[in-house]
Amino acid sequence: MKNSLKNQKESAPLFASLLSDIDNGPAILSVREDICFADNRWLEMGKIYLKPSPPEPNQGKIEPVEDAVKYGFYEWHCPTSKTLLEDAFAAMELDEDNNKDARQKKKNENNTTRCALESVIDAATRIGLLFPRFDPEIICSMPFRRPTTVIADTNAICQGGVDFLVRFLYPMARLKIPALVHMEILNQTHNYLEQRRKYHRSGKINNPRALYDHVLSQGGQRALLRLELQTDTEVEHSALFPDPLKNAFSKDNEIQDLNLQAPIRSYCDRLIFETARQHQTMVAPGHPVMLMTGDEGLGRMTLAEGLQPLYFHAGKPDELYGQILCGTRFTPFDGKLFSVPLTALLWELAVTFGNARLCSEDEKKVITIQAMDQDLNWQPFHAKDDLLRIFWSGFVEPDHLKGAGEQPTPVTINAASPQAAARPLVAKHPEKEAKETSSGLSPDTIYNFNINTMLSLMESLVARGSVSIAGKDTALEGMARRTLRKYFGFLRAGHFVTISGETIQATELLHLLWMALKSRPLDLDGIVKALYAVPSFEIFCDTLQKKRMISMTSKTPKKELPDPTYLQLAEICGLALRIPEEGVYATFAKISPQEFVDIAIDAFERNRKGERYVLTGLWLEAMARDHGIHPIHARNRLNEAHAAGIIDRFTEGSTPETRFDSHTLNVLEVKNGIPTVRKICLYHGDFILPGKASVSIRLEKRKA
């Protein structure tokens, strides 16, 4: 059985090959918990029927199936509640004795197992196959027409309420996650891991309880990680403030006199409500603050305390069990279509239960997704890239995966005779070829290309391992050979690819660059280190660093202007800033938050000219012009210094002046796990504090 570490997008061709080999279904969907289920038992979760579109002209058999996997063209036929419960009991091999104690034990196990299996409903709600049911009065106000802060409790995280909010109500709904929610989910994880340790020590555990702890904790943790790492949602995380009810748990004469020594139930719910109450005191009057919960008790208490609950019911068992769910749905407010990829369902179930499987009815053709096992070594980049271990066997995999997972192929950089290897891409000009170095490329060759197109090409190379120039599945389809040379010439110059005929093969260096581009927060040092492998880009940056400023005015000769592609690359790397009608300033300075404070205050004082506030863009450009500090680094150091309590920042919003619209900056952002370059205006004010029009800023050094 072959295996590989993959994310959802990379694995789609693999699932398409499996489903093509079994004639588009039905495929059996199963899950497994490795310490609760006996032997190699799997719990069947229903059948998957793929509904691919008819193939278009010049399209093979596999492409429509792959599109169906990616865009949710499938039906999930779910088992009945009774069947699922019976199969779960059989998988766990629970005791069937009929004495009184055994009957009571079985009743308890039955209730716990039923609660654990309801996590399937929560998983379906989290990915959008089901919607939570809200109060009719709240539905009338959706989608929100004014900014509203929503405080989420643990139920809202685990049962899909927050995923619905992010998917359909953001950005008007501003999300705040109390620290206690993270603590509750972490505590549930600790309970499950304790069960695992007990199992490995003695081999005996309470199987239903361990299953319940597993699905509750891992499903909740994945929801939090997805929220933080794989969406563009801005999430406020509240600190743990002093406990308002600590006297209920400590000895106190006054408390003893009142006979209130008993611990108060629903204590965590109360602290979550206190977070909402505290936030309400910090916002402007009239700004709505809601507490999102699926807990009826907390919802009632929120109403009684004068706050508005964003109350919802999670999906009921009869909405899922025995029903057919479709991967393509309508959005609830505007009737547009949205899709839930089949891989999203498989990933969610794999993390929730530990293992998920899609196979043919005879179980000879199978793909297994594994999220938790004693032998798996988790790393943070697994969560950032949403990587899980995939095992497959019994079917013909895609061409680019043949041989993958069997033995690693050594990464080689073709430096011996790249001219012959890349001949189809190299222009036939002997005089230019004579100038090329032993690496096959001139070190001062400048490559002009669209950076977002280059990022799309890198994505294809990393996902597939290699691409064909003649293929129709890359961002370069239909481009002329001269244009292709710019893209692949740059990649070859940095040893990010090797070229053989019409095939472009990614190297390990490209994978490292791609990881740096996708990281959150951005790994600018890693990106710079990787791009410096391109000699011409390194020369460009060294020249800029030595000159400190390259003039770019209307009178500057065209031949002296910096290359626009390399200038954009330098901007997104934090190495340069272009100020219109002045030039390009080198911004290589790296300073600590403590050193930053004095520089920031000095730049503010010299530019405010008697005013209390200075334009944010003016302050950022002054930091770059006078001190070589890039706006990205200025923003980061300002946030760090503010968090450390050594500087106070105040912002003021207003309508930006259009005369500064040309003062732009290219920044790298990660959307849905894919890096992209966006142009922003420094004077619009939303760069320093995203989501706020902080057009003007005031800085004050905080006294010790």
Side-chain angles (χ1 to χ4, degrees), residues 91 140 161 175-176 192 209 211 244 355 362 405 502 536-537 546 553 574 588 627 694 700:
C140 291
L175 186 60
K176 189 177 183 72
Y192 170 66
R209 186 69 204 181
L211 180 63
N355 300 270
D362 58 8
E502 296 287 306
S536 55
F537 181 70
K546 290 176 183 177
T553 66
F588 289 76
H627 304 284
S694 306
E700 291 182 1

Side-chain angles (χ1 to χ4, degrees), residues 138-213:
I138 293 296
I139 292 177
C140 291
S141 64
M142 291 182 180
F144 299 145
R145 295 171 180 81
R146 56 183 300 189
T148 302
T149 299
V150 177
I151 315 295
D153 75 340
T154 311
N155 278 328
I157 294 289
C158 296
Q159 295 181 347
V162 165
D163 285 283
F164 180 90
L165 181 146
V166 170
R167 195 173 286 118
F168 301 118
L169 301 179
Y170 184 81
M172 277 302 182
R174 301 174 179 176
L175 186 60
K176 189 177 183 72
I177 306 293
L180 196 65
V181 169
H182 291 266
M183 293 177 64
E184 280 197 293
I185 293 176
L186 192 62
N187 186 56
Q188 292 160 356
T189 303
H190 171 77
N191 292 340
Y192 170 66
L193 295 178
E194 185 60 36
Q195 295 270 17
R196 289 187 73 91
R197 288 188 284 268
K198 181 180 177 182
Y199 172 79
H200 293 304
R201 287 195 305 266
S202 63
K204 296 181 179 180
I205 57 169
N206 184 331
N207 287 333
R209 186 69 204 181
L211 180 63
Y212 177 78
D213 288 337

Side-chain angles (χ1 to χ4, degrees), residues 91-164:
M92 291 187 285
E93 292 187 349
L94 298 179
D95 192 5
E96 295 291 341
D97 290 342
N98 289 321
N99 59 60
K100 183 178 179 180
D101 292 340
R103 286 197 299 270
Q104 182 59 41
K105 177 183 177 183
K106 183 175 181 179
K107 182 179 179 181
N108 295 336
E109 290 173 340
N110 191 307
N111 292 334
T112 305
T113 305
R114 182 181 288 106
C115 291
L117 294 178
E118 287 181 359
S119 64
V120 183
I121 302 171
D122 297 338
T125 307
R126 288 195 295 266
I127 61 176
L129 288 176
L130 294 174
F131 291 155
R133 293 182 294 114
F134 290 92
D135 177 73
E137 183 182 4
I138 293 296
I139 292 177
C140 291
S141 64
M142 291 182 180
F144 299 145
R145 295 171 180 81
R146 56 183 300 189
T148 302
T149 299
V150 177
I151 315 295
D153 75 340
T154 311
N155 278 328
I157 294 289
C158 296
Q159 295 181 347
V162 165
D163 285 283
F164 180 90

Side-chain angles (χ1 to χ4, degrees), residues 42 71 124 152 197 244 334 360 400 415 433 484 557 590 592 619 681 695:
W42 288 81
Y71 304 117
R197 288 188 284 268
D334 56 15
S360 59
H400 71 278
E433 291 185 357
L484 290 176
K590 300 287 181 66
S592 66
W619 175 73
C681 179
V695 174

Side-chain angles (χ1 to χ4, degrees), residues 576-649:
L577 175 66
R578 181 186 67 87
I579 300 179
E581 287 305 312
E582 292 185 34
V584 180
Y585 290 88
T587 54
F588 289 76
K590 300 287 181 66
I591 59 176
S592 66
Q594 290 75 18
E595 297 171 321
F596 170 81
V597 171
D598 291 333
I599 296 175
I601 295 293
D602 177 66
F604 170 74
E605 292 293 341
R606 283 190 292 105
N607 286 277
R608 70 189 185 98
K609 298 179 180 179
E611 300 291 336
R612 294 183 67 237
Y613 286 83
V614 66
L615 292 176
T616 303
L618 181 63
W619 175 73
L620 289 170
E621 290 180 343
M623 296 288 286
R625 182 190 298 109
D626 301 333
H627 304 284
I629 301 175
H630 194 272
I632 293 177
H633 298 306
R635 177 185 62 185
N636 294 343
R637 297 296 87 78
L638 177 61
N639 291 338
E640 292 167 5
H642 178 70
I646 54 180
I647 195 172
D648 285 324
R649 67 182 182 202

